[in-house]
Every structure is written in structure tokens, then in C-alpha cells.
Amino acid sequence: QVYKGLDIITNKVSPQEQRLCRHHMISFVDPLVSNYTVVDFRDKAVALISYIFARDKIPIVVGGTNYYIESLLWKVLVNTKEKANVAPGLVTDRKVELEQLDGMELHRRLSQVDPEMAAKLHPHDKRKVARSLQVFEETGIPHSEILHQQQEEEGGGPLGGPLKYPCSCILWLHADQAALDQRLEKRVDDMLAAGLLEELRDFHRRYNQEKVAENRQDYQHGIFQSIGFKEFHEYLVSEGSCSPETSALLLQKGIQALKQVTKRYARRQNKWVRNRFLRRPGPNVPPVYGLEVSDLLRWEEDVLKPALEIVESFIQGCEPPVEPVKMEYDVNENKRSHRVCELCDRVIIGDREWA
């Protein structure tokens, strides 16, 4: 009954859930494709959302990566040149090319064409610096100028353009840190029991063997930047060429690393929700309703029942029976301020970090 009449856009779903309602965007990108971006995701998902609305239904977006969800909520991304009509995975990505250069050189180039954006980005943040350079090269317009244009549109704000869908709400499932850590460790154990190593060996054999032989393996793009690949690199490359004892130690090292990085990623996701969804200044922020999931024995009372009431009120255009999460924020805080600590010889980005 929970799923009846819904359309789910997600990349995390069980076969049982798929049988209950229609799901979209699952296993639709070949793992060999290394240049699939958030813009590609946004374009496909927005088209699906329009299709679902046209059928008089409500799309449910399930995360996942909050940055990708933001791309659906706000006008925040910048389209550059259209991709050529060639097979997926073969398009030359200028950003990837730029990332091969030295970080300080990249930052120097950006300073020449877009000093405002260069002042907001740390020289060590190669990916963002390369992206801003790519935007300028492929549009002829400084990245900072494009972002200003988005912010100045009606409904825009300090952190981006207007909401794409004014009537949206966010359900945020959060748990006590100790309970969450325990659950994440069990999740890794369950993934291993379900065949994670076999999947990793398959990817390693199909796509990475040649690169490993040439010592140019790339864990920064495509499927290989996903959590779970880098952590088992030593184990995979040495499997069959070292003693069973060494292999077992490398396997345990990979398992522990995977558990650590998974817990670290979960903390980053929660921090993102607080800083972007809850501390985002301006009126163009959908309400965020917190649901406490620490005690799974209380799932019905603490999660399912209130979630259904919130969604039902949202559909009916009424005020939900619970208040959305509120967090204090400083409207004057500059998260992209640029300062140099002369004692440490370090660039500090952001008022809070400087304080």
C-alpha cells in the first residue's frame, strides 16, 4: 500500500521493491562509461519527472548522492558544449584532460580568466578548478558570471538559481551515530556475503587489467571512483601471486578500509544535508522533515506512520502534523571567502574555517 501509485527514481532498490511499483534509472549506464556526469543524470531524470507528472503521478527521488538530488531541485548546473554523436565512453572529456595538469598551474590559469572563481576555490581542489576552466573554455563565459546569472533569476538565492519544482518536500532519515556505524558495518558484511568480491574481480579483470599492467590505473573517474574499488586494489592486483596468508591479510585490510570509508561517507552526507538543505539561506528551500531511524523496532511509529502523514498532507496541500527541521544560519557567512594564513602558509576557504 505504501508504494501504490508511486514512481521511484533511484539507483538503490531490492527486487522485492521493484515488484511493488515502477522504478526508473537502475542499471542503465554501462560501467565502461567513464564520462557520465551529474548533468547527464539531471537531463535524464528531469525528462522522467515530466513524464511521471504527465501521467498525473508524483515522482519520488531516492538518494543516494545529495549533489545529484540538488541538481533536480535547483537550477545550479552549467551546461557546456553538446557532446558529439559518438559511442558512449569515447567522448573526450576536457575536464579529465585538465585534471592531469599540476593543481597550482590549473589555479594560475583560472586566475587569469576568472579571478573571482579562482579566489573561491582552493588550489588543491583540482576537480572544481578544472571544471571552472572547462566551463570557460567551452562557453567563453567565466563560470562565476554564469552562476551570478542563475542567482539573479527570480526565485534564486546566494547558493544557486530558483527551485525547479516549487512544491517539493524532503524526508531525511537520520540515526544516532553509534547505531548508524553498527548498521553500516553490517551492510559491508552483507555485501561481501552477497558476492561483492566476485563482482570486484569481474570489473578488475574486464576493465582494469591493462591499466594495472601499465601502472596507470584510474580510480578518479567512472565506476572506479565508487566506494569499494580503491579499497581492494592491493588485494586484487596481488591475488594469485602472493602467499595465502598475505592475501588474507590484504583482504582484511580492504574490508576494514571499506567499513571506514563507508562510515566517513555517511558523515559527509549528513553534513551536506545540514549545510546545504538546512543552512541554505533564502526562501527557495523545500521543507526538510526529519525521521529518526536509530531503533528499527520502532520503524512503524517513528518512520513509516509520520512519513505517510507528511506525504499525505503534502499531496492534499495541507500543513503536515509535524514541523520541518530548522537550523540557525548566518546570512552573512561567506562559505567561499579566500584568506591566506601567513604563519601556516595555507589558503583558507570559508569564514567558518578561518574562524
Side-chain angles (χ1 to χ4, degrees):
Q1 287 300 310
V2 175
Y3 283 114
K4 187 176 180 182
L6 300 179
D7 277 77
I8 313 294
I9 299 171
T10 181
N11 62 352
K12 298 180 179 181
V13 64
S14 69
Q16 293 86 349
E17 290 169 327
Q18 288 190 58
R19 286 194 290 270
L20 288 170
C21 71
R22 186 171 184 182
H23 288 69
H24 304 269
M25 297 180 74
I26 303 168
S27 301
F28 70 101
V29 179
D30 191 304
L32 188 57
V33 175
S34 63
N35 63 333
Y36 190 86
T37 69
V38 65
V39 174
D40 298 314
F41 166 83
R42 188 271 318 270
D43 292 347
K44 186 174 179 66
V46 164
L48 272 169
I49 289 170
S50 298
Y51 162 71
I52 293 166
F53 277 138
R55 291 164 53 222
D56 207 22
K57 293 192 176 185
I58 296 175
I60 310 292
V61 181
V62 181
T65 305
N66 295 318
Y67 178 52
Y68 279 56
I69 293 175
E70 276 203 26
S71 75
L72 302 182
L73 289 174
W74 289 280
K75 183 179 179 181
V76 290
L77 299 181
V78 178
N79 288 336
T80 55
K81 65 182 181 182
E82 292 295 320
K83 292 180 179 177
N85 293 320
V86 296
L90 300 180
V91 180
T92 300
D93 189 332
R94 178 58 179 156
K95 177 170 169 286
V96 174
E97 292 178 346
L98 289 167
E99 285 176 22
Q100 307 309 310
L101 302 176
D102 175 72
M104 297 305 294
E105 168 62 17
L106 280 177
H107 198 266
R108 185 188 65 78
R109 290 191 190 185
L110 184 61
S111 298
Q112 292 175 342
V113 299
D114 191 351
E116 181 181 344
M117 186 58 75
K120 295 178 179 178
L121 297 177
H122 198 287
H124 294 165
D125 197 346
K126 286 179 69 172
R127 303 191 87 170
K128 288 184 179 177
V129 174
R131 173 57 179 161
S132 288
L133 267 176
Q134 179 195 21
V135 169
F136 176 77
E137 288 184 5
E138 297 181 355
T139 66
I141 306 171
H143 194 181
S144 58
E145 184 178 327
I146 295 175
L147 296 180
H148 282 312
Q149 291 171 2
Q150 289 181 349
Q151 293 164 6
E152 289 167 5
E153 290 183 31
E154 185 178 354
L159 294 178
L163 274 172
K164 288 195 181 78
Y165 309 101
C167 297
S168 305
C169 78
I170 298 172
L171 301 179
W172 177 32
L173 278 66
H174 56 88
D176 172 76
Q177 196 62 60
L180 180 60
D181 286 348
Q182 185 179 23
R183 206 170 294 164
L184 291 171
E185 293 213 3
K186 181 179 183 303
R187 173 183 164 182
V188 171
D189 293 334
D190 291 344
M191 289 165 63
L192 289 161
L196 174 64
L197 288 180
E198 287 71 22
E199 184 180 349
L200 289 172
R201 289 189 187 101
D202 179 57
F203 278 116
H204 178 71
R205 182 174 59 252
R206 291 170 62 198
Y207 304 134
N208 227 18
Q209 216 164 41
E210 179 184 335
K211 292 181 178 180
V212 169
E214 298 174 9
N215 198 29
R216 60 180 183 88
Q217 59 273 12
D218 180 10
Y219 285 110
Q220 299 303 315
H221 301 98
I223 190 69
F224 292 106
Q225 66 183 312
S226 300
I227 290 174
F229 286 96
K230 299 183 289 292
E231 291 71 30
F232 289 94
H233 174 73
E234 282 187 88
Y235 171 74
L236 291 170
V237 297
S238 64
E239 195 174 23
S241 61
C242 63
S243 68
E245 294 79 14
T246 301
S247 186
L249 285 173
L250 290 174
L251 175 58
Q252 284 306 311
K253 181 181 175 183
I255 292 171
Q256 292 308 311
L258 178 55
K259 289 181 177 180
Q260 284 300 112
V261 76
T262 300
K263 289 185 283 189
R264 197 178 305 134
Y265 183 64
R267 285 172 170 78
R268 282 208 308 273
Q269 284 184 312
N270 282 329
K271 184 178 177 182
W272 184 291
V273 171
R274 294 187 184 96
N275 289 341
R276 302 288 291 184
F277 292 165
L278 299 178
R279 290 198 177 104
R280 196 182 183 112
N284 61 335
V285 184
V288 178
Y289 296 96
L291 299 168
E292 172 65 50
V293 296
S294 296
D295 185 355
L296 294 181
L297 295 176
R298 292 185 52 83
W299 177 268
E300 297 276 338
E301 307 98 297
D302 293 348
V303 185
L304 182 57
K305 185 174 181 289
L308 290 174
E309 290 174 348
I310 292 166
V311 173
E312 185 62 31
S313 301
F314 167 70
I315 292 171
Q316 300 297 331
C318 308
E319 285 295 319
V322 295
E323 287 288 314
V325 181
K326 299 287 185 185
M327 289 190 75
E328 294 295 322
Y329 59 82
D330 182 356
V331 294
N332 297 313
E333 180 187 346
N334 185 349
K335 296 182 179 180
R336 288 297 183 187
S337 61
H338 182 282
R339 296 181 179 90
V340 177
C341 176
E342 295 181 0
L343 286 174
C344 306
D345 190 26
R346 286 184 60 186
V347 174
I348 308 295
I349 302 296
D351 289 353
R352 194 177 306 170
E353 286 72 13
W354 177 255

